[in-house]
């Protein structure tokens, strides 16, 4: 894949460049600011962008805003966002953009090389990948009157894995149950979030709506 990397830490940026290159990917540009990222995307039209949230010139959410702009203007480009912290509204904006090809990982996840490379490949293939810690913290904030609070611990776990972009078969492997058991939990999530009536509606994915529903609780 052709990758553009945006990270203002020179050490981390060079480490990621080497890691991606060793995996056989072509890093067509590695930059340290949001304006450079936008310019290089326009020039190279990569398959995937990997970007930090906080970058120059403002040092705030410049990288995130650049990522959202790329998704709006070039939906064919997959975007994987890295962050030091859980930015709830950022995660919500990313997933509610629709269309897949998006991921949000905490930087701690990058040191787990296999998981990071798998996330890059999954978003490039059209999937969504959300860090399980991000999902856990979002789910943990549900209160009374929040339908998420009605989920059983297993249903909440299944929903978290759905947000990581896993299929039912992969979820079954992760939680060590049968695929049919996972399907039962998924249907339980749909029922408790009021999505049962969306079954069979053209153009609507109940899995995506479920994830958007709980991420949207933090807006």
């Amino acid at each position: 894949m052709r990758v553009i990397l945006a990270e203002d830490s020179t050490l981390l940026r060079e480490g990621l460049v080497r890691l991606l290159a060793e995996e056989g990917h072509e890093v067509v540009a590695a930059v340290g600011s949001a304006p450079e990222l936008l310019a290089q995307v326009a020039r190279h039209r990569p398959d995937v962008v990997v970007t930090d949230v906080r970058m120059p010139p403002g040092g705030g959410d410049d990288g995130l805003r650049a990522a959202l702009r790329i998704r709006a203007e070039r939906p064919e480009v997959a975007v994987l966002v890295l962050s030091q912290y859980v930015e709830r509204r950022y995660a919500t904006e990313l997933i509610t953009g629709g269309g897949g090809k998006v991921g949000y990982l905490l930087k701690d996840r990058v040191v787990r090389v296999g998981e990071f490379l798998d996330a890059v490949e999954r978003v490039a293939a059209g999937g969504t990948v959300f860090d399980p810690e991000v999902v856990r913290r979002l789910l943990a904030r549900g209160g009374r009157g929040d339908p998420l609070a009605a989920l059983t611990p297993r249903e909440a776990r299944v929903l978290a894995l759905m947000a990581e972009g896993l299929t039912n078969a992969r979820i079954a492997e992760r939680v060590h149950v049968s695929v049919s058991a996972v399907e039962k939990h998924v249907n339980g999530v749909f029922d408790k979030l009021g999505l049962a009536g969306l079954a069979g509606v053209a153009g609507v994915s109940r899995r995506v709506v479920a994830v958007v529903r709980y991420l949207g609780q933090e807006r």
Side-chain angles (χ1 to χ4, degrees):
M1 293 179 292
R2 301 173 72 253
V3 182
I4 288 180
L5 179 64
E7 166 60 55
D8 64 337
S9 167
T10 303
L11 184 62
L12 179 56
R13 183 171 68 244
E14 293 305 316
L16 291 176
V17 168
R18 180 177 300 180
L19 177 62
L20 290 165
E22 289 177 350
E23 190 66 13
H25 303 308
E26 179 187 3
V27 180
V28 296
V31 300
S33 72
E36 290 178 293
L37 170 59
L38 293 172
Q40 292 301 322
V41 168
R43 177 181 179 185
H44 293 287
R45 302 199 175 198
D47 300 306
V48 185
V49 164
V50 179
T51 180
D52 190 8
V53 167
R54 299 183 181 276
M55 286 200 305
D61 59 358
D62 298 69
L64 183 278
R65 287 188 283 111
L68 292 174
R69 179 173 168 182
I70 292 167
R71 279 181 56 75
E73 297 178 355
R74 302 181 185 277
E76 74 279 5
V77 177
V79 175
L80 179 61
V81 172
L82 306 178
S83 179
Q84 192 70 40
Y85 309 101
V86 176
E87 307 277 6
R88 293 183 178 87
R89 66 186 181 92
Y90 295 161
T92 302
E93 289 185 47
L94 282 172
I95 197 168
T96 54
K101 286 182 171 285
V102 63
Y104 187 111
L105 293 183
L106 295 181
K107 285 188 175 179
D108 290 346
R109 191 72 51 183
V110 175
V111 301
R112 303 176 187 179
V113 174
E115 291 186 29
F116 170 68
L117 293 173
D118 181 60
V120 172
E121 293 174 2
R122 280 160 57 192
V123 297
T128 58
V129 179
F130 279 77
D131 193 294
E133 179 63 13
V134 174
V135 175
R136 185 191 69 77
R137 294 190 190 184
L138 289 168
L139 286 172
R141 295 179 67 88
R144 298 181 180 180
D146 180 353
L148 297 173
L151 299 181
T152 66
R154 180 54 59 85
E155 287 169 345
R157 173 64 171 156
V158 168
L159 180 54
L161 295 173
M162 286 166 58
E164 289 186 58
L166 301 187
T167 63
N168 286 355
R170 290 283 299 277
I171 293 174
E173 294 174 2
R174 188 75 66 87
V175 298
H176 307 294
V177 299
S178 67
V179 174
S180 61
V182 172
E183 292 172 349
K184 178 181 177 181
H185 293 311
V186 170
N187 287 328
V189 170
F190 292 159
D191 288 341
K192 291 176 181 177
L193 296 187
L195 305 178
L198 294 179
V201 176
V204 176
S205 167
R206 290 189 295 172
R207 295 176 82 90
V208 172
V209 173
V211 174
V212 169
R213 182 70 56 83
Y214 75 74
L215 288 176
Q217 299 295 317
E218 295 303 315
R219 298 208 72 174

